[in-house]
Amino acid sequence: MAAVLLPAGFAVTFPVWNATAYTLWPLSVAAGILLLAAGLRLRGLRKGQTPQADTMTQLFLLLVLGVCLFTAASHRAAVVGAELADDFVAGFAKQPDVTVTSAEPLYLDGPGVTTEQLDESTYRYRGLKFVERTGTTVFLLPAGWRVGHGQLIVLSEGEGLRFAYGSTG
């Protein structure tokens, strides 16, 4: 009976516990190591001995605990990063539209990007979505971007470039 219920229970709860278990398993290993060390110490005290682990054992325990903590932090960062990426993809259509006007041709290409030459020295690019701005660097994606298809467009604000931001309506 347990051979059937245990795997069935795991299969039902796996989607809920997947990210949590991935994050917490290194901490459970660390907790197990600490409990083992505490148990050995208490066993020595019960026998009337003064238990003292040698320096190499203490260093080994600290090393393993440090690896467990860094692994847990790494796993948590991976889970949060995946959640942020999913949120970005889900909200991509709501990102502000961007129109770039340039004195030089930029040769921007991508699904949904249109180029219009206004006169001999003015080009307008539409069909871009705002991603991020850091300092004078602007990150854009084509409006028709899909996961795995399309390129990130990186432009620096400067002479000859103008950015116009609008809503998606």
Side-chain angles (χ1 to χ4, degrees):
M1 179 85 155
V4 173
L5 291 178
L6 192 59
F10 179 75
V12 169
T13 61
F14 182 74
V16 175
W17 287 99
N18 190 19
T20 305
Y22 181 69
T23 302
L24 293 180
W25 80 261
L27 296 177
S28 66
V29 170
I33 291 170
L34 287 174
L35 288 173
L36 177 65
L40 291 174
R41 182 167 176 82
L42 289 174
R43 183 173 148 206
L45 288 174
R46 187 174 181 201
K47 290 182 177 182
Q49 302 169 351
T50 306
Q52 185 64 32
D54 63 343
T55 305
M56 289 304 288
T57 303
Q58 290 176 357
L59 288 176
F60 178 74
L61 282 174
L62 286 175
L63 175 68
V64 171
L65 291 174
V67 168
C68 289
L69 291 176
F70 278 106
T71 303
S74 171
H75 288 190
R76 180 66 184 149
V79 168
V80 170
E83 290 171 356
L84 289 172
D86 291 342
D87 291 346
F88 175 80
V89 171
F92 178 69
K94 297 176 184 172
Q95 290 295 106
D97 293 321
V98 179
T99 301
V100 178
T101 306
S102 171
E104 300 287 329
L106 300 175
Y107 306 105
L108 301 181
D109 190 25
V113 177
T114 60
T115 304
E116 183 181 354
Q117 187 170 358
L118 302 176
D119 57 40
E120 288 183 20
S121 63
T122 307
Y123 299 85
R124 182 175 18 205
Y125 298 90
R126 294 183 180 185
L128 299 166
K129 292 284 192 177
F130 178 77
V131 176
E132 183 70 44
R133 180 173 183 256
T134 304
T136 61
T137 305
V138 179
F139 299 90
L140 308 168
L141 281 172
W145 174 82
R146 294 184 333 234
V147 175
H149 298 87
Q151 299 175 351
L152 179 69
I153 298 168
V154 182
L155 299 173
S156 293
E157 292 178 340
E159 292 184 32
L161 274 184
R162 272 190 340 196
F163 295 88
Y165 301 92
S167 66
T168 57

